Amino acid sequence: MIEIAEEIAVPSPPERVWEVISDPSAVVSCIGGAELGASHDDGSFDGTLAIRFGGLRVKFAARISLDLDETAREGRLSARGADGQGATRFSAGATFRVVEGDVPGTSKVFCDGEIKLNGKLAKLIESGAGMVVSRMTGEFTDQLVEKCAGAREEPLADAPVEPPPSAVPDSAHTDRPAGLFARLRAWWAGRRSRRPGRTPQVPHRPEKSSDEALDQGGRR
């Protein structure tokens, strides 16, 4: 028999964690090697799980039932099945619950259960179960935390959107007034220089010496 007793800390509020952990399709997406099958009229559904025990890979098929208490945020899972060759059969039962974490806005998930095995692979599976459960719990925790945080990262529909730099009008740039004033001063100075009775000032250019003219190919 394999016993399971796990406590998982999730940095998301209990209502969000319960929303994920009470959804079979969401839970299956958090477990590597697991697949969800068809559902039945009694509320149960089929599922498969492939697990590697050392060099041996075993794929189990199961019929799963899930009972949920929404108010208490508690649930119970029951499963029965066998490996693909029918050499090993199992029955499993587990309870889980979501409670408020030590810090507001966080949660803890408690899971307790047991798995009973019968068949020629039972001893082999039980001998490596501790390491396998520990590895799968770590992977499940990482996926659960990521999935619970995903909904909170979606942007609000009415949140203001910052316009790109190209969409900001020129009047919004702080360096525009300084450039405008400079152009106005230049225009006003040119207008004053063209008034009647005022001789425009021509910048003085020094004459070139004869030696400089000859050096540049000039002729006298």
Side-chain angles (χ1 to χ4, degrees):
M1 184 174 65
I2 302 171
E3 294 184 352
I4 300 173
E6 299 292 339
E7 177 182 332
I8 302 173
V10 184
S12 295
E15 57 271 16
R16 172 55 185 163
V17 178
W18 175 255
E19 180 183 353
V20 174
I21 208 169
S22 61
D23 180 3
S25 60
V27 172
V28 167
S29 68
C30 295
I31 303 174
E35 295 181 2
L36 191 64
S39 58
H40 302 281
D41 295 338
D42 60 356
S44 64
F45 52 90
D46 297 331
T48 59
L49 177 62
I51 308 175
R52 184 173 294 278
F53 297 91
L56 179 64
R57 184 175 182 272
V58 183
K59 186 173 184 178
F60 294 97
R63 183 81 169 261
I64 305 167
S65 298
L66 186 63
D67 297 319
L68 301 175
D69 184 342
E70 298 282 348
T71 305
R73 297 195 183 107
E74 295 181 354
R76 177 169 179 79
L77 180 145
S78 302
R80 290 181 178 275
D83 71 305
Q85 298 178 351
T88 305
R89 298 177 303 279
F90 77 92
S91 62
T95 58
F96 57 90
R97 67 185 188 279
V98 180
V99 300
E100 186 78 31
D102 298 331
V103 178
T106 66
S107 306
K108 287 184 179 180
V109 180
F110 294 94
C111 182
D112 300 285
E114 59 181 26
I115 303 172
K116 297 179 180 179
L117 297 164
N118 293 289
K120 64 180 183 180
L121 297 179
K123 295 297 183 182
L124 175 64
I125 294 174
E126 288 177 350
S127 64
M131 185 178 299
V132 172
V133 169
S134 178
R135 184 188 72 238
M136 293 182 66
T137 300
E139 295 174 352
F140 176 80
T141 300
D142 293 340
Q143 293 297 320
L144 178 63
V145 169
E146 182 177 346
K147 189 171 289 293
C148 289
R152 295 187 300 160
E153 293 174 357
E154 296 177 359
L156 297 176
D158 57 348
V161 179
E162 193 72 20
S166 59
V168 179
D170 291 342
S171 59
H173 294 291
T174 57
D175 59 341
R176 295 294 290 179
L180 178 61
F181 294 152
R183 289 198 298 273
L184 286 173
R185 285 197 299 269
W187 172 82
W188 180 251
R191 184 178 178 85
R192 292 183 60 188
S193 67
R194 291 194 295 271
R195 289 181 178 177
R198 185 180 182 92
T199 304
Q201 295 182 357
V202 180
H204 175 70
R205 297 181 180 178
E207 297 182 357
K208 296 182 180 179
S209 65
S210 59
D211 293 338
E212 293 176 344
L214 291 174
D215 290 342
Q216 297 179 6
R219 299 293 182 181
R220 289 189 177 271

